Protein backbone atom coordinates (compact mmCIF):
# COMPACT_ATOMS: atom_id res chain seq x y z
CA UNK A 1 0.00 0.00 0.00
CA UNK A 2 2.37 2.69 -1.22
CA UNK A 3 -0.58 5.08 -1.20
CA UNK A 4 -0.36 5.21 2.60
CA UNK A 5 3.17 6.52 2.33
CA UNK A 6 2.03 9.02 -0.29
CA UNK A 7 -0.72 10.14 2.08
CA UNK A 8 1.86 10.70 4.83
CA UNK A 9 3.97 12.75 2.42
CA UNK A 10 0.91 14.77 1.42
CA UNK A 11 0.10 15.47 5.08
CA UNK A 12 3.68 16.59 5.70
CA UNK A 13 3.66 18.83 2.61
CA UNK A 14 0.38 20.33 3.71
CA UNK A 15 1.69 21.12 7.18
CA UNK A 16 4.82 22.79 5.85
CA UNK A 17 2.85 24.85 3.31
CA UNK A 18 0.32 26.20 5.82
CA UNK A 19 2.35 29.12 7.26
CA UNK A 20 3.18 30.44 3.78
CA UNK A 21 -0.38 30.33 2.47
CA UNK A 22 -3.43 32.44 3.22
CA UNK A 23 -4.77 31.84 6.72
CA UNK A 24 -8.18 31.20 5.21
CA UNK A 25 -9.82 31.84 1.89
CA UNK A 26 -13.41 31.75 0.74
CA UNK A 27 -14.28 28.52 -1.07
CA UNK A 28 -15.02 29.48 -4.72
CA UNK A 29 -18.50 28.58 -5.96
CA UNK A 30 -17.37 25.74 -8.18
CA UNK A 31 -15.25 24.17 -5.46
CA UNK A 32 -18.04 24.49 -2.90
CA UNK A 33 -20.52 22.95 -5.35
CA UNK A 34 -18.21 19.95 -5.76
CA UNK A 35 -17.67 19.63 -2.00
CA UNK A 36 -21.37 19.69 -1.23
CA UNK A 37 -23.04 18.20 -4.30
CA UNK A 38 -21.15 15.19 -5.62
CA UNK A 39 -23.27 12.35 -6.92
CA UNK A 40 -22.86 8.95 -5.26
CA UNK A 41 -20.29 7.01 -7.28
CA UNK A 42 -21.63 3.79 -8.74
CA UNK A 43 -18.13 2.40 -9.18
CA UNK A 44 -15.18 2.87 -6.89
CA UNK A 45 -11.89 4.64 -7.61
CA UNK A 46 -8.32 3.53 -6.81
CA UNK A 47 -6.67 4.87 -3.64
CA UNK A 48 -4.11 6.83 -5.63
CA UNK A 49 -6.85 8.73 -7.47
CA UNK A 50 -8.47 9.66 -4.18
CA UNK A 51 -5.23 11.17 -2.97
CA UNK A 52 -5.09 13.38 -6.05
CA UNK A 53 -8.63 14.57 -5.43
CA UNK A 54 -7.91 15.30 -1.77
CA UNK A 55 -4.78 17.22 -2.78
CA UNK A 56 -6.58 19.33 -5.38
CA UNK A 57 -10.05 19.81 -3.95
CA UNK A 58 -9.89 19.39 -0.18
CA UNK A 59 -6.52 20.48 1.21
CA UNK A 60 -6.63 23.92 -0.49
CA UNK A 61 -9.61 25.00 1.65
CA UNK A 62 -8.70 24.61 5.32
CA UNK A 63 -10.54 26.25 8.18
CA UNK A 64 -7.37 28.17 8.98
CA UNK A 65 -6.52 26.86 12.44
CA UNK A 66 -3.11 25.52 11.49
CA UNK A 67 -1.77 28.98 10.80
CA UNK A 68 0.18 31.13 13.30
CA UNK A 69 -2.11 34.08 12.48
CA UNK A 70 -5.34 32.20 13.19
CA UNK A 71 -6.92 33.79 16.28
CA UNK A 72 -10.56 32.74 15.84
CA UNK A 73 -12.78 31.01 18.41
CA UNK A 74 -10.74 28.39 20.34
CA UNK A 75 -9.18 26.21 17.65
CA UNK A 76 -5.57 25.14 17.86
CA UNK A 77 -3.18 23.80 15.25
CA UNK A 78 -2.81 20.00 15.39
CA UNK A 79 0.11 18.76 17.45
CA UNK A 80 2.67 17.00 15.20
CA UNK A 81 2.60 13.95 17.48
CA UNK A 82 -1.18 13.82 17.16
CA UNK A 83 -0.99 13.95 13.37
CA UNK A 84 1.59 11.18 13.45
CA UNK A 85 -0.54 8.96 15.68
CA UNK A 86 -3.94 9.50 14.03
CA UNK A 87 -3.47 7.15 11.04
CA UNK A 88 -2.05 4.47 13.32
CA UNK A 89 -5.17 4.65 15.50
CA UNK A 90 -7.22 4.31 12.32
CA UNK A 91 -5.10 1.38 11.17
CA UNK A 92 -5.83 -0.45 14.43
CA UNK A 93 -9.43 0.80 14.48
CA UNK A 94 -10.50 -0.63 17.84
CA UNK A 95 -13.68 0.29 19.65
CA UNK A 96 -12.64 1.74 22.96
CA UNK A 97 -15.95 0.87 24.58
CA UNK A 98 -13.80 -1.43 26.68
CA UNK A 99 -12.19 -4.84 26.56
CA UNK A 100 -8.64 -6.07 26.74
CA UNK A 101 -6.68 -4.35 24.01
CA UNK A 102 -4.22 -1.49 23.74
CA UNK A 103 -6.84 1.12 22.84
CA UNK A 104 -9.01 0.74 25.93
CA UNK A 105 -6.05 0.19 28.25
CA UNK A 106 -4.12 3.24 27.01
CA UNK A 107 -7.13 5.46 27.70
CA UNK A 108 -6.54 4.81 31.41
CA UNK A 109 -3.12 6.44 31.15
CA UNK A 110 -4.33 9.27 28.89
CA UNK A 111 -7.09 10.24 31.32
CA UNK A 112 -4.82 9.97 34.36
CA UNK A 113 -2.20 12.16 32.67
CA UNK A 114 -4.83 14.82 31.95
CA UNK A 115 -5.86 14.73 35.61
CA UNK A 116 -2.22 15.04 36.71
CA UNK A 117 -1.57 17.94 34.34
CA UNK A 118 -4.57 19.86 35.66
CA UNK A 119 -3.95 18.91 39.30
CA UNK A 120 -7.29 17.14 39.60
CA UNK A 121 -7.67 14.19 42.00
CA UNK A 122 -7.83 10.94 40.08
CA UNK A 123 -9.29 7.79 41.57
CA UNK A 124 -9.07 4.92 39.03
CA UNK A 125 -12.03 5.12 36.66
CA UNK A 126 -12.57 8.81 37.40
CA UNK A 127 -12.94 10.03 33.84
CA UNK A 128 -13.14 9.29 30.16
CA UNK A 129 -12.35 10.82 26.80
CA UNK A 130 -15.27 12.28 24.85
CA UNK A 131 -15.96 13.93 21.50
CA UNK A 132 -15.46 17.32 23.13
CA UNK A 133 -16.43 19.42 26.12
CA UNK A 134 -20.06 19.56 24.98
CA UNK A 135 -20.36 15.79 25.45
CA UNK A 136 -18.25 15.97 28.62
CA UNK A 137 -20.78 18.49 29.95
CA UNK A 138 -23.74 16.28 29.08
CA UNK A 139 -22.11 13.42 31.00
CA UNK A 140 -21.31 15.62 34.00
CA UNK A 141 -24.78 17.18 34.20
CA UNK A 142 -26.50 13.82 33.68
CA UNK A 143 -24.43 12.40 36.54
CA UNK A 144 -25.33 15.31 38.82
CA UNK A 145 -29.01 15.00 37.83
CA UNK A 146 -29.01 11.29 38.55
CA UNK A 147 -27.60 11.87 42.02
CA UNK A 148 -30.66 13.84 43.11
CA UNK A 149 -33.51 12.24 41.15
CA UNK A 150 -34.98 8.92 40.19
CA UNK A 151 -34.51 9.89 36.57
CA UNK A 152 -33.34 6.53 35.23
CA UNK A 153 -36.53 4.83 36.32
CA UNK A 154 -39.13 7.59 36.36
CA UNK A 155 -37.81 10.24 34.05
CA UNK A 156 -38.27 13.68 35.51
CA UNK A 157 -42.04 13.20 35.81
CA UNK A 158 -43.18 14.21 39.25
CA UNK A 159 -39.85 15.79 40.18
CA UNK A 160 -39.82 19.27 41.66
CA UNK A 161 -37.95 21.51 39.19
CA UNK A 162 -34.18 21.43 39.53
CA UNK A 163 -32.27 24.68 39.07
CA UNK A 164 -28.70 25.18 37.96
CA UNK A 165 -26.42 28.19 37.89
CA UNK A 166 -23.95 29.46 35.36
CA UNK A 167 -22.46 32.86 34.78
CA UNK A 168 -23.43 35.21 32.00
CA UNK A 169 -20.10 34.24 30.41
CA UNK A 170 -20.68 30.47 30.82
CA UNK A 171 -20.46 28.46 27.61
CA UNK A 172 -23.60 27.72 25.59
CA UNK A 173 -22.91 23.97 25.88
CA UNK A 174 -24.06 24.16 29.52
CA UNK A 175 -27.49 25.45 28.59
CA UNK A 176 -27.63 23.02 25.67
CA UNK A 177 -26.91 20.10 28.01
CA UNK A 178 -29.53 21.32 30.51
CA UNK A 179 -32.14 21.55 27.75
CA UNK A 180 -31.21 18.15 26.36
CA UNK A 181 -31.44 16.57 29.80
CA UNK A 182 -34.98 17.83 30.26
CA UNK A 183 -34.07 20.33 32.98
CA UNK A 184 -35.79 23.19 31.17
CA UNK A 185 -34.10 26.37 29.95
CA UNK A 186 -36.27 28.45 32.28
CA UNK A 187 -34.60 26.81 35.29
CA UNK A 188 -31.10 27.69 34.09
CA UNK A 189 -30.09 30.73 36.16
CA UNK A 190 -27.71 33.22 34.59
CA UNK A 191 -25.58 34.73 37.33
CA UNK A 192 -24.15 38.19 36.54
CA UNK A 193 -20.41 38.75 36.26
CA UNK A 194 -18.14 41.34 37.85
CA UNK A 195 -16.05 43.93 36.01
CA UNK A 196 -13.49 41.22 35.17
CA UNK A 197 -16.22 38.96 33.69
CA UNK A 198 -16.02 36.51 36.60
CA UNK A 199 -19.07 35.05 38.27
CA UNK A 200 -20.46 37.31 41.02
CA UNK A 201 -20.58 34.90 43.94
CA UNK A 202 -22.82 37.09 46.12
CA UNK A 203 -25.35 37.11 43.26
CA UNK A 204 -24.99 33.33 42.96
CA UNK A 205 -25.89 32.94 46.63
CA UNK A 206 -28.89 35.24 46.25
CA UNK A 207 -30.15 33.21 43.27
CA UNK A 208 -29.82 29.95 45.19
CA UNK A 209 -31.62 31.35 48.24
CA UNK A 210 -34.43 32.81 46.12
CA UNK A 211 -34.94 29.45 44.44
CA UNK A 212 -34.96 27.59 47.76
CA UNK A 213 -37.59 29.99 49.09
CA UNK A 214 -39.65 29.40 45.95
CA UNK A 215 -39.65 25.65 46.62
CA UNK A 216 -37.28 24.80 43.75
CA UNK A 217 -34.30 22.44 44.03
CA UNK A 218 -30.93 24.01 43.31
CA UNK A 219 -28.65 21.12 42.30
CA UNK A 220 -25.63 22.30 40.33
CA UNK A 221 -23.38 25.28 39.77
CA UNK A 222 -21.11 25.40 36.73
CA UNK A 223 -18.08 27.66 36.93
CA UNK A 224 -15.63 28.47 34.14
CA UNK A 225 -11.87 28.04 34.17
CA UNK A 226 -11.27 30.10 31.04
CA UNK A 227 -14.36 31.57 29.36
CA UNK A 228 -14.48 31.74 25.57
CA UNK A 229 -15.34 35.44 25.63
CA UNK A 230 -12.44 36.82 27.65
CA UNK A 231 -10.55 33.83 29.05
CA UNK A 232 -11.69 34.74 32.58
CA UNK A 233 -11.44 32.22 35.41
CA UNK A 234 -14.28 32.36 37.94
CA UNK A 235 -13.52 32.60 41.69
CA UNK A 236 -13.52 28.82 42.02
CA UNK A 237 -12.83 28.48 45.76
CA UNK A 238 -15.69 30.79 46.68
CA UNK A 239 -18.05 29.08 44.28
CA UNK A 240 -17.01 25.71 45.71
CA UNK A 241 -17.93 26.96 49.20
CA UNK A 242 -21.32 28.22 48.08
CA UNK A 243 -21.94 24.87 46.38
CA UNK A 244 -20.88 22.90 49.43
CA UNK A 245 -23.04 24.93 51.82
CA UNK A 246 -26.12 24.19 49.76
CA UNK A 247 -25.26 20.63 48.77
CA UNK A 248 -24.89 21.50 45.07
CA UNK A 249 -22.79 19.63 42.52
CA UNK A 250 -19.77 21.77 41.59
CA UNK A 251 -18.88 21.51 37.90
CA UNK A 252 -15.99 23.36 36.28
CA UNK A 253 -15.86 24.04 32.55
CA UNK A 254 -12.15 24.03 31.79
CA UNK A 255 -12.65 23.11 28.12
CA UNK A 256 -10.34 25.81 26.90
CA UNK A 257 -8.55 27.02 30.00
CA UNK A 258 -7.90 24.16 32.43
CA UNK A 259 -4.29 23.70 31.30
CA UNK A 260 -3.54 27.31 32.20
CA UNK A 261 -2.97 26.02 35.73
CA UNK A 262 0.43 24.72 34.53
CA UNK A 263 1.77 28.28 34.31
CA UNK A 264 2.86 29.31 37.79
CA UNK A 265 2.27 32.99 36.97
CA UNK A 266 -1.46 32.38 36.74
CA UNK A 267 -1.81 29.26 38.90
CA UNK A 268 -3.26 31.11 41.93
CA UNK A 269 -6.23 32.13 39.81
CA UNK A 270 -7.12 28.44 39.40
CA UNK A 271 -7.22 27.74 43.13
CA UNK A 272 -10.28 25.61 43.85
CA UNK A 273 -10.46 23.88 40.44
CA UNK A 274 -9.46 20.66 42.21
CA UNK A 275 -12.51 20.96 44.48
CA UNK A 276 -14.90 20.27 41.60
CA UNK A 277 -17.12 17.21 41.48
CA UNK A 278 -16.56 17.17 37.72
CA UNK A 279 -14.14 18.97 35.41
CA UNK A 280 -14.61 19.21 31.63
CA UNK A 281 -11.52 19.88 29.53
CA UNK A 282 -10.66 19.70 25.88
CA UNK A 283 -7.35 18.18 24.79
CA UNK A 284 -8.34 19.39 21.29
CA UNK A 285 -8.03 23.01 22.46
CA UNK A 286 -4.87 24.32 24.17
CA UNK A 287 -3.06 20.97 24.07
CA UNK A 288 -3.50 20.70 20.30
CA UNK A 289 -4.64 17.07 20.13
CA UNK A 290 -6.18 16.74 16.65
CA UNK A 291 -9.99 16.95 16.74
CA UNK A 292 -11.88 15.25 18.27
CA UNK A 293 -10.93 14.90 21.90
CA UNK A 294 -12.64 16.13 25.04
CA UNK A 295 -12.43 14.73 28.55
CA UNK A 296 -14.52 14.68 31.70
CA UNK A 297 -12.95 13.97 35.08
CA UNK A 298 -14.90 12.94 38.19
CA UNK A 299 -13.98 13.12 41.83
CA UNK A 300 -16.05 9.95 42.39
CA UNK A 301 -16.15 7.39 39.55
CA UNK A 302 -19.25 5.77 41.03
CA UNK A 303 -21.29 8.83 39.95
CA UNK A 304 -21.10 8.44 36.17
CA UNK A 305 -21.23 4.67 36.39
CA UNK A 306 -24.47 4.81 38.41
CA UNK A 307 -25.88 7.28 35.90
CA UNK A 308 -24.98 5.37 32.74
CA UNK A 309 -24.10 1.72 33.29
CA UNK A 310 -26.36 -0.58 31.32
CA UNK A 311 -24.76 -3.80 30.19
CA UNK A 312 -26.85 -5.96 27.86
CA UNK A 313 -26.16 -9.70 27.76
CA UNK A 314 -24.21 -9.55 24.51
CA UNK A 315 -21.75 -7.10 26.06
CA UNK A 316 -21.10 -8.90 29.34
CA UNK A 317 -17.40 -9.14 30.03
CA UNK A 318 -16.44 -11.18 33.05
CA UNK A 319 -12.81 -10.21 32.58
CA UNK A 320 -13.44 -6.46 32.62
CA UNK A 321 -12.20 -6.05 36.17
CA UNK A 322 -13.50 -3.67 38.80
CA UNK A 323 -13.70 -0.61 36.62
CA UNK A 324 -15.76 -2.25 33.89
CA UNK A 325 -15.96 -0.68 30.44
CA UNK A 326 -15.73 2.99 29.47
CA UNK A 327 -19.13 2.60 27.82
CA UNK A 328 -20.61 2.21 31.33
CA UNK A 329 -19.58 5.80 32.15
CA UNK A 330 -21.24 7.70 29.31
CA UNK A 331 -23.68 7.47 26.42
CA UNK A 332 -21.27 6.27 23.71
CA UNK A 333 -20.96 2.53 22.99
CA UNK A 334 -18.49 2.20 20.11
CA UNK A 335 -15.78 4.72 20.97
CA UNK A 336 -12.78 5.83 18.86
CA UNK A 337 -9.12 5.41 19.84
CA UNK A 338 -8.72 9.03 20.96
CA UNK A 339 -6.22 7.99 23.59
CA UNK A 340 -3.42 7.39 21.07
CA UNK A 341 -3.53 11.04 19.95
CA UNK A 342 -3.55 12.25 23.56
CA UNK A 343 -0.80 9.85 24.58
CA UNK A 344 1.42 10.84 21.62
CA UNK A 345 0.91 14.57 22.20
CA UNK A 346 1.65 14.44 25.93
CA UNK A 347 4.50 11.95 25.53
CA UNK A 348 6.12 14.19 22.90
CA UNK A 349 5.80 17.47 24.79
CA UNK A 350 6.08 16.27 28.37
CA UNK A 351 4.80 18.38 31.23
CA UNK A 352 7.52 20.97 30.66
CA UNK A 353 6.77 21.26 26.93
CA UNK A 354 3.07 21.73 27.61
CA UNK A 355 3.88 24.33 30.26
CA UNK A 356 6.09 26.16 27.73
CA UNK A 357 3.26 26.09 25.18
CA UNK A 358 0.84 27.58 27.71
CA UNK A 359 3.36 30.24 28.75
CA UNK A 360 4.26 31.12 25.17
CA UNK A 361 0.65 31.64 24.14
CA UNK A 362 -0.13 33.59 27.33
CA UNK A 363 2.89 35.81 26.71
CA UNK A 364 1.82 36.52 23.13
CA UNK A 365 -1.67 37.37 24.40
CA UNK A 366 -0.10 39.75 26.92
CA UNK A 367 1.96 41.28 24.08
CA UNK A 368 -1.18 41.79 22.02
CA UNK A 369 -2.90 43.41 25.01
CA UNK A 370 0.07 45.77 25.44
CA UNK A 371 0.01 46.67 21.74
CA UNK A 372 -3.73 47.33 21.94
CA UNK A 373 -3.26 49.58 24.96
CA UNK A 374 -0.42 51.45 23.29
CA UNK A 375 -2.50 52.14 20.16
CA UNK A 376 -4.79 55.15 20.17
CA UNK A 377 -7.23 53.39 17.84
CA UNK A 378 -7.70 50.23 19.93
CA UNK A 379 -8.93 49.57 23.48
CA UNK A 380 -8.99 46.49 25.67
CA UNK A 381 -12.46 45.22 26.56
CA UNK A 382 -11.42 42.89 29.39
CA UNK A 383 -8.39 41.96 31.47
CA UNK A 384 -6.17 39.28 29.88
CA UNK A 385 -5.79 36.25 32.14
CA UNK A 386 -5.27 33.22 29.91
CA UNK A 387 -4.61 33.60 26.16
CA UNK A 388 -7.75 35.42 24.99
CA UNK A 389 -7.63 39.14 24.23
CA UNK A 390 -10.99 40.92 23.96
CA UNK A 391 -10.70 44.38 22.45
CA UNK A 392 -12.35 47.02 20.29
CA UNK A 393 -11.38 49.06 17.27
CA UNK A 394 -12.34 52.61 18.17
CA UNK A 395 -12.68 54.42 14.82
CA UNK A 396 -15.48 52.12 13.77
CA UNK A 397 -18.25 50.56 15.82
CA UNK A 398 -17.45 46.86 15.78
CA UNK A 399 -20.06 44.55 14.32
CA UNK A 400 -20.06 41.16 12.66
CA UNK A 401 -18.84 42.70 9.40
CA UNK A 402 -15.40 43.62 10.71
CA UNK A 403 -14.11 40.13 11.64
CA UNK A 404 -15.56 38.78 8.38
CA UNK A 405 -13.70 41.45 6.41
CA UNK A 406 -10.45 40.60 8.21
CA UNK A 407 -10.97 36.92 7.43
CA UNK A 408 -11.59 37.55 3.71
CA UNK A 409 -8.28 39.38 3.36
CA UNK A 410 -6.58 36.09 4.27
CA UNK A 411 -3.66 37.44 6.30
CA UNK A 412 -5.13 36.97 9.77
CA UNK A 413 -8.25 35.38 11.19
CA UNK A 414 -10.19 36.57 14.19
CA UNK A 415 -13.76 36.41 15.36
CA UNK A 416 -16.04 38.55 17.47
CA UNK A 417 -18.39 38.21 20.41
CA UNK A 418 -20.68 40.32 22.55
CA UNK A 419 -19.53 41.47 26.00
CA UNK A 420 -21.77 43.52 28.28
CA UNK A 421 -24.13 43.86 25.33
CA UNK A 422 -21.41 45.41 23.15
CA UNK A 423 -19.84 43.94 20.02
CA UNK A 424 -16.22 43.04 20.70
CA UNK A 425 -13.29 41.59 18.82
CA UNK A 426 -11.51 38.67 20.40
CA UNK A 427 -8.26 36.95 19.55
CA UNK A 428 -7.33 33.62 21.08
CA UNK A 429 -3.64 32.68 20.86
CA UNK A 430 -3.03 28.92 20.74
CA UNK A 431 -0.29 28.46 18.15
CA UNK A 432 3.24 27.67 19.39
CA UNK A 433 4.76 29.63 16.48
CA UNK A 434 2.79 32.88 16.78
CA UNK A 435 5.23 35.82 16.94
CA UNK A 436 4.98 39.48 17.91
CA UNK A 437 5.13 40.32 14.20
CA UNK A 438 2.05 38.18 13.65
CA UNK A 439 0.25 40.26 16.28
CA UNK A 440 1.25 43.50 14.56
CA UNK A 441 -0.08 42.09 11.28
CA UNK A 442 -3.37 41.29 13.00
CA UNK A 443 -3.87 44.88 14.19
CA UNK A 444 -2.89 46.28 10.79
CA UNK A 445 -5.28 43.89 9.08
CA UNK A 446 -8.13 45.11 11.29
CA UNK A 447 -7.34 48.71 10.31
CA UNK A 448 -7.13 47.79 6.61
CA UNK A 449 -10.34 45.75 6.72
CA UNK A 450 -12.18 48.61 8.44
CA UNK A 451 -11.11 50.98 5.64
CA UNK A 452 -12.62 48.60 3.07
CA UNK A 453 -16.01 48.52 4.75
CA UNK A 454 -18.76 51.01 3.99
CA UNK A 455 -19.10 53.40 6.95
C1 LIG B 1 -14.92 24.81 23.22
C2 LIG B 1 -15.57 25.07 24.53
C3 LIG B 1 -16.69 24.32 24.92
C4 LIG B 1 -17.34 23.30 24.02
O1 LIG B 1 -16.49 22.26 23.78
P1 LIG B 1 -16.53 21.38 22.43
O2 LIG B 1 -15.27 20.63 22.49
O3 LIG B 1 -16.60 22.36 21.30
O4 LIG B 1 -17.73 20.53 22.49
C5 LIG B 1 -17.19 24.56 26.18
N1 LIG B 1 -16.66 25.48 26.99
C6 LIG B 1 -15.61 26.23 26.63
C7 LIG B 1 -15.06 27.24 27.58
C8 LIG B 1 -15.02 26.04 25.38
O5 LIG B 1 -13.95 26.78 25.03
Amino acid sequence: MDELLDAARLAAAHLSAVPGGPVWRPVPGEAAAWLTGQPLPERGAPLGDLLGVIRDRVLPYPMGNGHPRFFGWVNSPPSPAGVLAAPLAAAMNPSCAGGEHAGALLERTAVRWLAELTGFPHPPGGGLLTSGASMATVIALATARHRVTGVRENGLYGERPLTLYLSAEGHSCLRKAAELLGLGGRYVRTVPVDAAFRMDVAALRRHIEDDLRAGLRPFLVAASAGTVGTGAVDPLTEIASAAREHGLWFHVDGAYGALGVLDEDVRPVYRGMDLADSLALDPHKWLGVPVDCGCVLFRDPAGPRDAFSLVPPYLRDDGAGELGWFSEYGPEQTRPFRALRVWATVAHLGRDGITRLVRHTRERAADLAAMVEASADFALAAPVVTSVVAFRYLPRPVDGALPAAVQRRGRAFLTGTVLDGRETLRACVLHPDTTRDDLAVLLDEIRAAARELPT
Side-chain angles (χ1 to χ4, degrees):
M1 291 226 276
D2 284 348
E3 293 86 354
L4 286 181
L5 306 178
D6 294 340
R9 271 187 281 273
L10 193 54
H14 173 74
L15 287 174
S16 37
V18 162
V23 182
W24 173 81
R25 56 171 157 165
V27 183
E30 184 275 326
W34 181 85
L35 287 164
T36 56
Q38 293 164 77
L40 172 73
E42 291 302 331
R43 268 182 290 277
L47 293 177
D49 291 5
L50 304 185
L51 270 187
V53 174
I54 293 170
R55 184 192 59 223
D56 298 339
R57 294 190 179 260
V58 178
L59 291 175
Y61 306 110
M63 175 176 157
N65 56 313
H67 199 288
R69 286 195 300 275
F70 182 93
F71 302 102
W73 306 292
V74 187
N75 294 101
S76 50
S79 71
V83 176
L84 175 135
L88 301 171
M92 288 183 78
N93 197 36
S95 165
C96 296
E100 185 171 334
H101 55 91
L105 296 172
L106 191 59
E107 187 162 337
R108 299 284 174 208
T109 289
V111 171
R112 179 167 44 76
W113 282 1
L114 292 168
E116 287 180 33
L117 284 168
T118 50
F120 198 75
H122 187 63
L128 69 164
L129 302 180
T130 63
S131 58
S134 299
M135 182 53 77
T137 302
V138 167
I139 297 172
L141 265 58
T143 299
R145 179 188 66 163
H146 178 259
R147 188 177 67 155
V148 293
T149 61
V151 63
R152 286 194 67 171
E153 188 59 23
N154 304 321
L156 290 174
Y157 306 107
E159 295 282 352
R160 255 186 310 142
L162 299 161
T163 52
L164 65 150
Y165 306 82
L166 42 116
S167 91
E169 290 295 308
H171 193 272
S172 54
C173 76
L174 290 157
R175 178 174 293 271
K176 212 175 189 179
E179 291 177 5
L180 174 70
L181 293 168
L183 298 168
R186 62 190 286 200
Y187 297 111
V188 177
R189 305 292 184 234
T190 306
V191 181
V193 290
D194 64 17
F197 299 94
R198 303 165 2 128
M199 185 185 284
D200 174 344
V201 185
L204 167 68
R205 288 175 183 279
R206 280 197 299 277
H207 269 292
I208 296 172
E209 282 150 23
D210 287 350
D211 285 333
L212 285 170
R213 266 193 300 277
L216 301 170
R217 295 170 68 194
F219 88 110
L220 175 139
V221 54
S224 302
T227 62
V228 280
T230 73
V233 179
D234 285 331
L236 302 174
T237 311
E238 293 166 47
I239 296 171
S241 307
R244 196 175 314 108
E245 280 163 38
H246 292 287
L248 273 59
W249 185 279
F250 176 38
H251 174 73
V252 173
D253 178 3
Y256 149 58
L259 284 178
V261 72
L262 285 167
D263 184 346
E264 61 191 21
D265 289 351
V266 78
R267 188 170 302 147
V269 167
Y270 286 83
R271 209 167 283 140
M273 187 162 78
D274 57 343
L275 300 174
D277 293 297
S278 52
L279 171 65
L281 68 138
D282 259 343
H284 66 206
K285 300 258 174 87
W286 222 338
L287 189 53
V289 170
V291 174
D292 68 359
C293 192
C295 178
V296 57
L297 300 174
F298 286 96
R299 172 171 300 279
D300 176 6
R305 199 174 189 184
D306 288 347
F308 286 100
S309 179
L310 202 164
V311 184
Y314 87 101
L315 287 173
R316 275 176 313 201
D317 177 0
D318 295 336
E322 256 172 54
L323 300 179
W325 282 28
F326 283 106
S327 54
E328 291 182 62
Y329 295 75
E332 288 181 314
Q333 185 59 44
T334 302
R335 302 172 67 253
F337 192 1
R338 299 179 179 112
L340 194 64
R341 288 177 272 123
V342 176
W343 172 83
T345 302
V346 177
H348 179 59
L349 292 171
R351 192 201 295 264
D352 67 341
I354 299 167
T355 305
R356 275 199 304 278
L357 171 67
V358 167
R359 284 183 75 91
H360 168 85
T361 48
R362 284 195 60 247
E363 282 164 9
R364 289 299 81 75
D367 290 341
L368 179 59
M371 291 161 75
V372 160
E373 287 197 293
S375 309
D377 52 348
F378 285 101
L380 274 187
V384 175
V385 182
T386 42
S387 74
V388 176
V389 183
F391 61 109
R392 298 197 175 91
Y393 180 59
L394 301 177
R396 191 197 139 85
V398 176
D399 57 34
L402 186 53
V406 172
Q407 293 166 17
R408 276 196 306 275
R409 292 171 54 84
R411 297 192 64 218
F413 193 111
L414 94 163
T415 51
T417 189
V418 175
L419 285 179
D420 264 345
R422 289 178 66 193
E423 289 282 349
T424 307
L425 301 170
R426 63 177 283 293
C428 181
V429 187
L430 294 169
H431 202 298
D433 300 334
T434 299
T435 62
R436 288 188 184 81
D437 287 346
D438 291 326
L439 306 173
V441 170
L442 171 66
L443 295 183
D444 281 341
E445 284 297 296
I446 294 167
R447 294 180 178 112
R451 279 195 298 273
E452 284 174 2
L453 288 171
T455 41

